[in-house]
Amino acid sequence: MKIKFYQKTQILKACLLLSVLGISLDISHSRADANNSLSGNLTVEINGFRNREGQACVSLFASSQGFPNNRKNVVQRQCNKITSVPLIVNFRNLKAGNYAVAIIHDTNGDGTLNRNDIGMPIEGYGFSRNPEIRTAAPKFNDAAVLIAGPNTSVQVQLKYLD
């Protein structure tokens, strides 16, 4: 069976097109994998402890949903004994994006921010980016930190109302 010049040209074009598509599909697949695998670490340095009693509970949120006190919406949470000041807490392998940290100095070890009869905190607390706190907890965007590289650090200064 003889293939005419026109048919050879069409076959070559089809092969070339398929190989180019294959290469571009591989490249776009690689880019998608790279974007999905972007992750980083967040180091939280906590200062301002009134004492070393109890523990520091650090909650990490990835959205405003439930921030800062709904545990159902916490991405990661760590409660650590206060062995040194500043206390360093690390969160590893976080997907790129915005995160906010809420911290309590849990002096009695019950894992919650205890409050007085009128609802004011009686234990220390703090947030990433140290937003000014007036009458209520800050909004997620006021405390949000962008994780876009391999290592991000934030310093948090605890506050006490009494």
Side-chain angles (χ1 to χ4, degrees):
M1 173 169 133
K2 276 191 163 183
I3 299 176
K4 295 180 183 178
F5 178 75
Y6 174 77
Q7 290 173 326
K8 285 183 185 177
T9 306
Q10 292 300 324
I11 292 170
L12 286 173
K13 283 182 182 178
C15 288
L16 183 60
L17 180 62
L18 288 174
S19 66
V20 168
L21 282 175
I23 291 170
S24 67
L25 288 175
D26 285 344
I27 290 170
S28 64
H29 192 295
S30 305
R31 285 183 185 158
D33 286 346
N35 287 339
N36 289 337
S37 67
L38 285 178
S39 65
N41 303 318
L42 176 63
T43 300
V44 182
E45 181 181 306
I46 309 165
N47 285 294
F49 288 99
R50 188 174 275 172
N51 55 52
R52 291 189 184 188
E53 294 175 22
Q55 61 187 354
C57 291
V58 184
S59 297
L60 183 68
F61 293 82
S63 74
S64 60
Q65 189 86 23
F67 178 80
N69 52 11
N70 188 337
R71 285 195 198 165
K72 293 177 187 174
N73 300 103
V74 169
V75 174
Q76 290 184 34
R77 185 168 197 256
Q78 295 183 34
C79 290
N80 299 317
K81 292 204 177 283
I82 305 161
T83 55
S84 64
V85 177
L87 179 66
I88 307 295
V89 177
N90 293 298
F91 294 99
R92 302 198 184 285
N93 300 316
L94 301 173
K95 290 181 183 178
N98 284 316
Y99 293 87
V101 174
I103 302 166
I104 63 170
H105 178 188
D106 182 23
T107 54
N108 64 357
D110 66 356
T112 61
L113 179 63
N114 298 117
R115 300 171 185 271
N116 64 18
D117 292 336
I118 59 171
M120 302 299 288
I122 58 174
E123 295 177 303
Y125 60 91
F127 303 95
S128 46
R129 294 187 48 207
N130 298 300
E132 187 175 334
I133 299 168
R134 294 184 183 176
T135 58
K139 302 287 184 205
F140 176 83
N141 289 337
D142 295 331
V145 175
L146 177 63
I147 306 296
N151 296 301
T152 303
S153 297
V154 295
Q155 295 181 335
V156 176
Q157 184 70 33
L158 292 179
K159 296 174 175 36
Y160 296 84
L161 293 181
D162 58 344

